[in-house]
């Protein structure tokens, strides 16, 4: 038994990027924000069709100018809001236009 | 279904800052009981969506029963977001149809306007999917905005083509003394209105409101002896879809609207062509559009055509009157009460007692109460003649 056989090299590396990229199904600009999101308003909210097929609801971030239905976007980690009196930061996902 | 509506009552819809939730429910309840000529009922079902968040108040069954002097009877809340009123009516119908009770009072009540601004938006957001929608700052209006934008993109429809739905609602609401906004909507104002979540504007979206509506239900055999014009409930169906919009295969198809409509019609032994009047959940013009399509009253991408010519076809004297007392848009949307308003308004139409809002020749009406954007859909078919 050679050292190399200890590692299975036949399986390709799992590509998780399918869950990170998608196209814009639709988007809107939220003018009337709920508590916790007022400081960000107006902000863009989107439905993103992920490459692996499912849909996800998220804010758009880092958008310069316009963004259109069908545009490619990618997932990034961002602060969503702060929670409660102690102001615990809630992190989550947002999407931004794919950087070329 | 051997159930009849024998009494209706409604408060004015608006901002009732000086009145409590029990007080509003009491007014509507007393009015419905008086209409039915009854002082006592066997059970009370309360439709309410946001008592816990807006009013810090639950157990409305007990609260309202006590207000009405009915303490001791079976009473509890039915909650299904903005379809809570429809769900309470459904529960009342089941109770009566089962034989468990002979009479039931159904009261929808909501008091939303004591809370304003971002606090109200957040409180209303509890009917969305907390983990996947509201956590990201989503609101129902924003989700509706996204549906509308996609619809306009897919079918090449422009904003002005939705205008007739709002114009029709306000035309009817203007002559309804209980309506919240009794102004007519001038042609062209719709597309110039301030945006809430583009393309959904102030003149597209129904206003939050306070109000209460009530119905007295009775077993059909009893109904004819109680009142001269009982209204038969001949179809009743509740269907759910995914709470989050993102989980639907095609968000522009409201599957629960389709199924709920089909089931209620099937129970009634009717088809859509037998229906003379619709009270739809017109919280947004896109919701009306998609509802009409999903019911089968338009091809995908064609539902907006009912709004053409300032809504002439859906006017009181049109082919198929919709939102005959102003709908959610003009009468106002007191969330959990809305579904009961719809049924009470349809009952008045069938009794020929709709005053200036009367549509002609109405024999059968369909009312539909929707939670979220089609997550819970409650449909009822009401008929002037017991069938």
């Amino acid at each position: 038994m050679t050292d190399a056989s200890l590692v299975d090299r036949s399986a390709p590396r799992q590509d998780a990027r399918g869950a990170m990229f998608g196209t814009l199904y639709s988007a809107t600009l939220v003018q009337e924000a709920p508590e916790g999101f007022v400081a960000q308003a107006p902000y863009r909210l989107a439905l993103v069709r992920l490459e692996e097929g499912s849909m996800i609801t998220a804010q758009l971030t880092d958008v310069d100018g316009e963004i259109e239905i069908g545009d490619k976007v990618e997932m990034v980690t961002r602060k969503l809001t702060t929670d409660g009196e102690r102001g615990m930061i809630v992190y989550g996902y947002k999407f931004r236009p794919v950087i070329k | 279904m051997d159930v009849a509506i024998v009494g209706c009552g409604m408060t004015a819809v608006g901002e009732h800052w000086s009145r409590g939730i029990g007080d509003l429910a009491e007014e509507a309840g007393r009015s419905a009981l008086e209409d039915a000529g009854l002082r006592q009922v066997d059970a009370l079902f309360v439709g309410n969506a946001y008592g816990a968040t807006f009013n810090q108040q639950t157990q409305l069954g007990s609260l309202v029963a006590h207000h009405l002097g009915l303490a001791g009877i079976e009473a509890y809340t039915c909650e299904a977001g903005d379809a809570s009123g429809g769900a309470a009516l459904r529960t009342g119908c089941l109770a009566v149809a089962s034989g468990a009770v002979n009479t039931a009072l159904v009261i929808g009540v909501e008091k939303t306007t004591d809370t304003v601004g971002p606090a109200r938006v957040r409180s209303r957001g509890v009917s969305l999917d907390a983990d996947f929608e509201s956590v990201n700052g989503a609101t129902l209006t924003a989700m509706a905005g996204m549906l509308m934008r996609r619809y306009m993109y897919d079918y090449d429809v422009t904003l002005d083509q939705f205008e007739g739905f709002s114009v029709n609602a306000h035309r009817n609401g203007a002559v309804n003394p209980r309506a919240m906004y009794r102004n007519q909507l001038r042609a062209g104002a719709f597309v110039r209105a301030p945006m809430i979540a583009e393309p959904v504007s102030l003149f597209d979206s129904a206003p939050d409101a306070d109000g209460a509506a009530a119905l007295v239900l009775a077993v059909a055999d009893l109904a004819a002896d109680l009142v001269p014009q009982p209204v038969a409930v001949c179809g009743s169906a509740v269907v759910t879809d995914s709470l989050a919009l993102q989980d639907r295969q095609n968000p522009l198809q409201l599957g629960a609207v389709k199924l709920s409509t089909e089931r209620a019609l099937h129970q009634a032994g009717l088809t859509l062509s037998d229906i003379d009047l619709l009270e739809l959940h017109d919280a947004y013009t896109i919701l009306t559009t998609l509802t009409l399509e999903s019911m089968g009253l338009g091809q995908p991408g064609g539902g907006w055509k009912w709004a053409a010519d300032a809504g002439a076809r859906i006017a009181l004297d049109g082919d198929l009157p919709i939102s005959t007392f102003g709908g959610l848009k003009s009468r106002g949307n007191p969330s959990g009460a809305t579904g009961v308003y719809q049924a009470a308004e349809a009952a008045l139409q069938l009794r020929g007692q709709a005053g200036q809002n009367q549509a002609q020749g109405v024999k059968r009406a369909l009312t539909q109460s929707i939670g979220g954007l089609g997550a819970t859909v409650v449909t009822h078919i009401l008929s002037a003649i017991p069938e």
Side-chain angles (χ1 to χ4, degrees), chain B residues 276-353:
Chain B
D276 304 313
L277 179 148
L278 298 176
E279 290 300 332
L280 300 182
H281 197 91
D282 57 338
Y284 307 99
T285 60
I286 186 63
L287 193 53
T288 306
T289 303
L290 297 179
T291 292
L292 289 164
E293 291 175 13
S294 301
M295 279 183 163
L297 286 168
Q299 294 298 313
W304 62 270
K305 291 176 184 167
W306 286 94
D309 303 322
R313 289 178 68 198
I314 56 173
L316 291 178
D317 60 354
D319 307 336
L320 185 60
I322 297 180
S323 301
T324 60
F325 281 79
L328 280 65
K329 177 69 197 75
S330 171
R331 177 240 293 129
N333 180 19
S335 316
T338 294
V340 184
Y341 272 95
Q342 292 175 313
E345 290 163 352
L348 288 181
Q349 290 283 3
L350 292 162
R351 282 158 48 166
Q353 295 173 348

Coordinates of all heavy atoms in Angstrom, one line a residue, chain B residues 276-353:
Chain B
D276 N -71.8 35.7 -9.4 CA -72.2 37.0 -9.9 C -71.4 38.1 -9.3 O -71.5 39.3 -9.8 CB -73.7 37.3 -9.5 CG -74.6 36.2 -10.0 OD1 -74.5 35.8 -11.2 OD2 -75.5 35.7 -9.2
L277 N -70.6 37.8 -8.2 CA -69.9 38.9 -7.5 C -68.7 38.3 -6.8 O -68.8 37.2 -6.2 CB -70.9 39.6 -6.6 CG -70.5 40.7 -5.7 CD1 -71.7 41.6 -5.4 CD2 -70.0 40.2 -4.3
L278 N -67.6 39.1 -6.8 CA -66.4 38.6 -6.1 C -66.0 39.6 -5.0 O -65.9 40.8 -5.3 CB -65.3 38.4 -7.0 CG -65.4 37.4 -8.2 CD1 -64.1 37.5 -9.0 CD2 -65.5 36.0 -7.6
E279 N -65.8 39.2 -3.8 CA -65.1 40.0 -2.8 C -63.7 39.4 -2.7 O -63.6 38.3 -2.0 CB -65.8 40.1 -1.5 CG -67.1 40.9 -1.6 CD -66.9 42.4 -2.0 OE1 -65.8 42.9 -1.8 OE2 -67.8 43.0 -2.6
L280 N -62.7 40.0 -3.3 CA -61.4 39.4 -3.3 C -60.5 40.1 -2.3 O -60.8 41.2 -1.9 CB -60.7 39.5 -4.7 CG -61.5 38.8 -5.8 CD1 -60.7 39.0 -7.2 CD2 -61.7 37.3 -5.5
H281 N -59.3 39.5 -2.0 CA -58.4 40.1 -1.1 C -57.5 41.0 -1.8 O -56.3 40.7 -2.2 CB -57.6 38.9 -0.4 CG -56.9 39.4 0.8 ND1 -57.5 39.3 2.1 CD2 -55.7 39.9 1.0 CE1 -56.6 39.8 3.0 NE2 -55.5 40.1 2.4
D282 N -58.0 42.2 -2.1 CA -57.3 43.1 -3.0 C -56.3 44.0 -2.2 O -56.4 45.3 -2.3 CB -58.3 44.0 -3.8 CG -59.2 44.8 -2.9 OD1 -59.5 44.4 -1.8 OD2 -59.8 45.8 -3.4
A283 N -55.4 43.4 -1.4 CA -54.5 44.2 -0.6 C -53.5 44.9 -1.5 O -53.0 46.0 -1.2 CB -53.7 43.3 0.3
Y284 N -53.2 44.3 -2.7 CA -52.3 44.9 -3.7 C -53.0 44.6 -5.1 O -53.5 43.5 -5.2 CB -50.9 44.3 -3.7 CG -50.3 44.4 -2.3 CD1 -50.4 43.3 -1.4 CD2 -49.7 45.6 -1.8 CE1 -49.8 43.4 -0.1 CE2 -49.2 45.6 -0.5 CZ -49.2 44.5 0.3 OH -48.7 44.6 1.6
T285 N -52.8 45.4 -6.1 CA -53.4 45.1 -7.4 C -52.7 43.9 -8.0 O -53.4 43.2 -8.7 CB -53.2 46.3 -8.4 OG1 -51.8 46.6 -8.5 CG2 -53.9 47.6 -7.9
I286 N -51.5 43.6 -7.6 CA -50.8 42.4 -8.2 C -51.5 41.2 -7.6 O -51.7 40.1 -8.2 CB -49.3 42.4 -8.0 CG1 -48.7 41.2 -8.7 CG2 -48.9 42.4 -6.5 CD1 -48.8 41.1 -10.2
L287 N -52.0 41.3 -6.3 CA -52.6 40.1 -5.7 C -54.0 39.9 -6.3 O -54.4 38.7 -6.6 CB -52.8 40.4 -4.2 CG -53.1 39.1 -3.3 CD1 -52.2 38.0 -3.5 CD2 -53.1 39.5 -1.8
T288 N -54.7 40.9 -6.7 CA -56.0 40.8 -7.4 C -55.7 40.1 -8.7 O -56.4 39.2 -9.2 CB -56.6 42.2 -7.6 OG1 -56.7 42.8 -6.3 CG2 -58.0 42.0 -8.2
T289 N -54.7 40.6 -9.4 CA -54.3 40.1 -10.8 C -54.0 38.6 -10.7 O -54.6 37.9 -11.5 CB -53.1 40.9 -11.3 OG1 -53.4 42.3 -11.3 CG2 -52.8 40.4 -12.7
L290 N -53.2 38.3 -9.8 CA -52.8 36.9 -9.7 C -53.9 36.0 -9.2 O -54.0 34.8 -9.6 CB -51.5 36.7 -8.8 CG -50.3 37.4 -9.3 CD1 -49.1 37.2 -8.3 CD2 -49.8 36.9 -10.7
T291 N -54.7 36.5 -8.4 CA -55.9 35.8 -7.9 C -56.8 35.5 -9.0 O -57.3 34.3 -9.2 CB -56.7 36.6 -6.8 OG1 -55.8 36.7 -5.6 CG2 -58.0 36.0 -6.4
L292 N -57.1 36.5 -9.8 CA -58.1 36.3 -11.0 C -57.5 35.2 -11.9 O -58.2 34.3 -12.4 CB -58.3 37.6 -11.7 CG -59.2 38.6 -10.9 CD1 -59.1 40.0 -11.5 CD2 -60.6 38.1 -10.9
E293 N -56.2 35.3 -12.2 CA -55.6 34.3 -13.0 C -55.6 32.9 -12.4 O -55.9 31.9 -13.1 CB -54.1 34.7 -13.3 CG -54.0 35.9 -14.2 CD -52.6 36.4 -14.4 OE1 -51.6 35.6 -14.1 OE2 -52.4 37.5 -14.9
S294 N -55.3 32.8 -11.1 CA -55.2 31.5 -10.5 C -56.6 30.9 -10.3 O -56.7 29.7 -10.3 CB -54.5 31.6 -9.1 OG -53.2 32.2 -9.3
M295 N -57.6 31.7 -10.2 CA -59.0 31.2 -10.1 C -59.4 30.6 -11.5 O -60.3 29.8 -11.5 CB -59.9 32.3 -9.8 CG -60.0 32.7 -8.4 SD -61.3 34.0 -8.2 CE -61.5 33.9 -6.5
G296 N -58.8 31.1 -12.5 CA -59.2 30.7 -13.9 C -60.0 31.7 -14.6 O -60.7 31.5 -15.6
L297 N -59.9 33.0 -14.1 CA -60.6 34.1 -14.7 C -59.6 34.9 -15.6 O -59.8 36.1 -15.8 CB -61.3 35.0 -13.7 CG -62.5 34.4 -13.1 CD1 -62.9 35.2 -11.8 CD2 -63.7 34.3 -14.1
G298 N -58.6 34.3 -16.1 CA -57.7 34.9 -17.0 C -56.5 34.0 -17.3 O -56.2 33.2 -16.4
Q299 N -55.9 34.2 -18.4 CA -54.6 33.4 -18.7 C -53.5 34.0 -17.9 O -53.6 35.2 -17.5 CB -54.3 33.6 -20.2 CG -55.3 33.0 -21.1 CD -55.4 31.4 -20.9 OE1 -54.4 30.8 -20.8 NE2 -56.6 30.9 -20.8
P300 N -52.5 33.2 -17.6 CA -51.3 33.8 -17.0 C -50.8 35.0 -17.8 O -50.6 34.9 -19.0 CB -50.2 32.6 -17.0 CG -51.1 31.4 -17.1 CD -52.3 31.8 -17.8
G301 N -50.7 36.1 -17.1 CA -50.3 37.4 -17.8 C -51.5 38.2 -18.3 O -51.3 39.2 -18.9
G302 N -52.7 37.7 -18.1 CA -53.9 38.4 -18.6 C -54.8 38.9 -17.6 O -55.8 39.5 -17.9
G303 N -54.5 38.6 -16.3 CA -55.5 39.0 -15.2 C -55.7 40.5 -15.1 O -56.8 40.9 -14.7
W304 N -54.7 41.2 -15.5 CA -54.7 42.7 -15.4 C -55.8 43.3 -16.3 O -56.3 44.4 -16.1 CB -53.4 43.3 -15.7 CG -52.9 43.0 -17.1 CD1 -52.2 42.0 -17.5 CD2 -53.2 43.8 -18.3 NE1 -52.0 42.0 -18.9 CE2 -52.6 43.1 -19.4 CE3 -53.9 45.0 -18.5 CZ2 -52.7 43.6 -20.7 CZ3 -54.0 45.4 -19.8 CH2 -53.4 44.7 -20.9
K305 N -56.2 42.5 -17.3 CA -57.2 43.0 -18.3 C -58.5 43.3 -17.6 O -59.3 44.1 -18.2 CB -57.4 42.0 -19.4 CG -56.1 41.9 -20.3 CD -56.2 40.9 -21.4 CE -54.9 40.8 -22.2 NZ -54.9 39.6 -23.0
W306 N -58.8 42.7 -16.5 CA -60.0 43.0 -15.8 C -60.0 44.5 -15.3 O -61.1 45.0 -14.9 CB -60.3 42.1 -14.6 CG -60.7 40.7 -14.9 CD1 -59.9 39.7 -15.1 CD2 -62.0 40.3 -15.2 NE1 -60.6 38.6 -15.5 CE2 -61.9 38.9 -15.5 CE3 -63.3 40.9 -15.2 CZ2 -63.1 38.1 -15.8 CZ3 -64.4 40.1 -15.5 CH2 -64.3 38.8 -15.8
A307 N -58.8 45.1 -15.2 CA -58.7 46.5 -14.7 C -58.9 47.5 -15.9 O -59.0 48.7 -15.6 CB -57.4 46.7 -14.1
A308 N -59.0 47.0 -17.1 CA -59.1 47.9 -18.3 C -60.3 48.8 -18.2 O -61.2 48.6 -17.5 CB -59.1 47.1 -19.6
D309 N -60.1 50.0 -18.9 CA -61.2 51.0 -18.9 C -61.7 51.4 -17.5 O -62.9 51.4 -17.2 CB -62.4 50.5 -19.7 CG -62.0 50.1 -21.2 OD1 -61.2 50.8 -21.7 OD2 -62.5 49.1 -21.7
A310 N -60.7 51.7 -16.7 CA -61.0 52.1 -15.3 C -61.9 51.1 -14.5 O -62.7 51.4 -13.7 CB -61.7 53.5 -15.3
G311 N -61.6 49.8 -14.9 CA -62.3 48.7 -14.2 C -63.8 48.6 -14.5 O -64.6 48.2 -13.7
A312 N -64.2 49.0 -15.8 CA -65.6 49.0 -16.2 C -66.2 47.6 -16.0 O -67.4 47.5 -15.6 CB -65.7 49.5 -17.6
R313 N -65.5 46.5 -16.3 CA -66.1 45.2 -16.3 C -66.3 44.7 -14.8 O -67.1 43.8 -14.6 CB -65.2 44.2 -17.0 CG -65.2 44.4 -18.5 CD -64.3 43.4 -19.1 NE -64.7 42.0 -19.0 CZ -63.9 40.9 -19.2 NH1 -62.6 41.1 -19.4 NH2 -64.4 39.7 -19.0
I314 N -65.6 45.3 -13.9 CA -65.7 44.9 -12.5 C -66.4 45.9 -11.6 O -66.5 45.8 -10.4 CB -64.3 44.6 -11.8 CG1 -63.4 45.8 -12.0 CG2 -63.6 43.4 -12.5 CD1 -62.0 45.7 -11.2
A315 N -67.0 46.9 -12.3 CA -67.8 47.9 -11.6 C -69.1 47.3 -11.1 O -69.5 46.2 -11.4 CB -68.0 49.1 -12.5
L316 N -69.8 48.1 -10.3 CA -71.1 47.6 -9.7 C -72.1 47.2 -10.8 O -72.9 46.3 -10.7 CB -71.8 48.7 -8.9 CG -71.1 49.0 -7.5 CD1 -71.8 50.1 -6.8 CD2 -71.0 47.7 -6.6
D317 N -72.0 47.9 -12.0 CA -72.9 47.5 -13.1 C -72.1 46.8 -14.2 O -72.6 46.7 -15.3 CB -73.5 48.8 -13.7 CG -72.5 49.8 -14.2 OD1 -71.3 49.5 -14.0 OD2 -72.9 50.8 -14.8
G318 N -71.0 46.2 -13.9 CA -70.2 45.5 -14.9 C -70.5 44.0 -14.9 O -71.4 43.5 -14.2
D319 N -69.8 43.2 -15.7 CA -70.0 41.8 -15.9 C -69.8 41.0 -14.6 O -70.6 40.1 -14.3 CB -69.0 41.2 -16.9 CG -68.9 41.9 -18.2 OD1 -69.9 42.5 -18.5 OD2 -67.9 41.8 -18.8
L320 N -68.8 41.4 -13.8 CA -68.5 40.7 -12.6 C -68.0 41.7 -11.5 O -66.8 42.0 -11.4 CB -67.4 39.7 -12.9 CG -67.0 38.7 -11.8 CD1 -68.1 37.9 -11.3 CD2 -65.8 37.8 -12.2
P321 N -68.9 42.3 -10.8 CA -68.5 43.3 -9.8 C -67.5 42.7 -8.8 O -67.7 41.6 -8.3 CB -69.8 43.6 -9.1 CG -70.9 43.3 -10.1 CD -70.4 42.1 -10.8
I322 N -66.5 43.5 -8.5 CA -65.4 43.1 -7.5 C -65.3 44.3 -6.5 O -65.3 45.4 -6.9 CB -64.1 42.8 -8.2 CG1 -64.2 41.7 -9.2 CG2 -63.0 42.5 -7.2 CD1 -62.9 41.3 -9.9
S323 N -65.0 43.9 -5.2 CA -64.8 44.9 -4.2 C -65.9 45.9 -4.1 O -65.7 47.1 -4.2 CB -63.4 45.7 -4.4 OG -62.4 44.8 -4.5
T324 N -67.1 45.4 -4.0 CA -68.3 46.2 -4.2 C -68.5 47.3 -3.1 O -69.3 48.2 -3.3 CB -69.6 45.4 -4.3 OG1 -69.7 44.6 -3.1 CG2 -69.5 44.4 -5.4
F325 N -67.9 47.1 -1.9 CA -68.0 48.2 -0.9 C -66.6 48.9 -0.8 O -66.4 49.6 0.2 CB -68.4 47.6 0.4 CG -69.8 47.2 0.6 CD1 -70.4 46.1 0.0 CD2 -70.7 48.1 1.3 CE1 -71.7 45.8 0.1 CE2 -72.0 47.8 1.4 CZ -72.5 46.7 0.8
G326 N -65.8 48.7 -1.7 CA -64.5 49.4 -1.7 C -63.3 48.5 -1.5 O -62.2 48.9 -1.7
G327 N -63.6 47.2 -1.2 CA -62.5 46.3 -1.0 C -61.5 46.7 0.1 O -61.7 47.7 0.8
L328 N -60.4 46.0 0.2 CA -59.4 46.3 1.2 C -58.8 47.7 0.9 O -58.5 48.4 1.8 CB -58.3 45.3 1.1 CG -58.5 43.9 1.9 CD1 -59.6 43.1 1.3 CD2 -57.3 43.1 2.0
K329 N -58.7 48.0 -0.4 CA -58.1 49.2 -0.8 C -58.8 50.5 -0.3 O -58.1 51.4 0.2 CB -58.0 49.3 -2.4 CG -57.3 50.5 -2.9 CD -55.9 50.6 -2.6 CE -55.3 52.0 -2.8 NZ -55.7 52.9 -1.7
S330 N -60.1 50.6 -0.5 CA -60.8 51.8 -0.1 C -61.6 51.7 1.2 O -61.5 52.6 2.1 CB -61.7 52.2 -1.2 OG -62.6 53.3 -0.9
R331 N -62.3 50.6 1.4 CA -63.0 50.3 2.7 C -61.9 50.3 3.8 O -62.1 50.7 4.9 CB -63.8 49.0 2.6 CG -64.4 48.7 4.0 CD -64.0 47.4 4.5 NE -64.4 46.3 3.7 CZ -63.6 45.3 3.2 NH1 -62.3 45.4 3.5 NH2 -64.0 44.3 2.5
G332 N -60.7 49.7 3.4 CA -59.7 49.6 4.4 C -59.4 48.1 4.8 O -60.3 47.3 4.6
N333 N -58.2 47.9 5.3 CA -57.9 46.5 5.6 C -57.6 46.3 7.1 O -56.5 46.4 7.6 CB -56.6 46.1 4.8 CG -56.2 44.6 5.1 OD1 -57.0 43.8 5.6 ND2 -54.9 44.3 4.8
P334 N -58.7 46.1 7.9 CA -58.4 45.7 9.3 C -58.1 44.2 9.4 O -58.9 43.5 9.9 CB -59.8 46.1 10.0 CG -60.8 46.1 8.9 CD -60.1 46.1 7.6
S335 N -57.0 43.9 8.9 CA -56.4 42.5 8.8 C -57.4 41.4 9.2 O -58.1 40.8 8.4 CB -55.2 42.4 9.7 OG -54.4 43.6 9.5
G336 N -57.4 41.0 10.5 CA -58.1 39.8 10.9 C -59.6 40.0 10.8 O -60.4 39.0 10.9
A337 N -60.1 41.2 10.6 CA -61.5 41.5 10.5 C -62.0 41.4 9.0 O -63.1 41.3 8.7 CB -61.9 42.8 11.1
T338 N -61.0 41.6 8.1 CA -61.3 41.8 6.7 C -62.1 40.7 6.1 O -63.1 40.9 5.4 CB -60.0 42.0 5.9 OG1 -59.4 43.2 6.3 CG2 -60.2 42.0 4.4
G339 N -61.8 39.4 6.4 CA -62.5 38.3 5.8 C -64.0 38.3 6.2 O -64.9 37.8 5.5
V340 N -64.3 38.8 7.4 CA -65.7 38.9 7.9 C -66.4 40.0 7.2 O -67.6 39.9 6.9 CB -65.7 39.0 9.5 CG1 -67.2 38.9 9.9 CG2 -64.9 37.8 10.1
Y341 N -65.7 41.2 7.1 CA -66.3 42.3 6.3 C -66.7 41.8 4.9 O -67.8 42.1 4.4 CB -65.3 43.4 6.1 CG -65.3 44.4 7.2 CD1 -64.4 44.3 8.3 CD2 -66.2 45.5 7.2 CE1 -64.4 45.2 9.4 CE2 -66.2 46.4 8.3 CZ -65.4 46.3 9.3 OH -65.4 47.2 10.4
Q342 N -65.8 41.0 4.2 CA -66.1 40.6 2.9 C -67.4 39.8 2.9 O -68.3 40.0 2.0 CB -65.0 39.7 2.4 CG -63.7 40.4 2.1 CD -62.6 39.4 1.7 OE1 -62.4 38.4 2.4 NE2 -61.8 39.7 0.7
A343 N -67.6 38.9 3.8 CA -68.7 38.0 3.9 C -70.0 38.8 4.2 O -71.1 38.6 3.7 CB -68.5 36.8 4.8
A344 N -69.8 39.7 5.2 CA -71.0 40.6 5.6 C -71.4 41.4 4.4 O -72.6 41.6 4.1 CB -70.6 41.4 6.8
E345 N -70.5 42.0 3.7 CA -70.8 42.8 2.5 C -71.5 42.0 1.4 O -72.5 42.4 0.8 CB -69.5 43.5 2.0 CG -69.0 44.5 2.9 CD -67.6 45.0 2.7 OE1 -66.9 44.3 1.8 OE2 -67.1 45.9 3.3
A346 N -71.0 40.8 1.2 CA -71.6 39.9 0.2 C -73.0 39.5 0.6 O -73.9 39.4 -0.2 CB -70.7 38.6 0.0
A347 N -73.2 39.3 1.9 CA -74.5 38.9 2.4 C -75.5 40.1 2.2 O -76.6 39.9 1.8 CB -74.5 38.6 3.9
L348 N -75.1 41.3 2.4 CA -75.9 42.5 2.2 C -76.3 42.6 0.7 O -77.4 42.9 0.3 CB -75.2 43.8 2.6 CG -75.1 44.0 4.1 CD1 -74.5 45.3 4.4 CD2 -76.5 43.9 4.8
Q349 N -75.3 42.3 -0.2 CA -75.6 42.3 -1.6 C -76.6 41.3 -2.0 O -77.6 41.5 -2.7 CB -74.3 41.9 -2.4 CG -73.2 43.0 -2.4 CD -73.5 44.2 -3.3 OE1 -74.6 44.2 -4.0 NE2 -72.6 45.1 -3.4
L350 N -76.5 40.0 -1.4 CA -77.5 39.0 -1.7 C -78.9 39.3 -1.1 O -79.9 38.8 -1.7 CB -77.0 37.6 -1.1 CG -75.7 37.1 -1.9 CD1 -75.0 36.1 -1.0 CD2 -76.1 36.5 -3.2
R351 N -78.9 40.0 -0.1 CA -80.2 40.4 0.5 C -80.8 41.6 -0.2 O -81.9 42.1 0.2 CB -80.0 40.7 2.0 CG -79.9 39.5 2.9 CD -79.2 39.7 4.2 NE -79.7 40.8 5.0 CZ -79.4 41.0 6.3 NH1 -78.7 40.0 7.0 NH2 -79.8 42.0 6.9
G352 N -80.0 42.2 -1.1 CA -80.5 43.4 -1.8 C -80.5 44.7 -0.8 O -81.3 45.6 -1.0
Q353 N -79.6 44.6 0.2 CA -79.6 45.7 1.2 C -78.3 46.4 1.2 O -77.8 46.9 2.2 CB -79.9 45.1 2.6 CG -81.3 44.6 2.7 CD -81.5 43.8 4.0 OE1 -80.6 43.5 4.7 NE2 -82.8 43.5 4.3

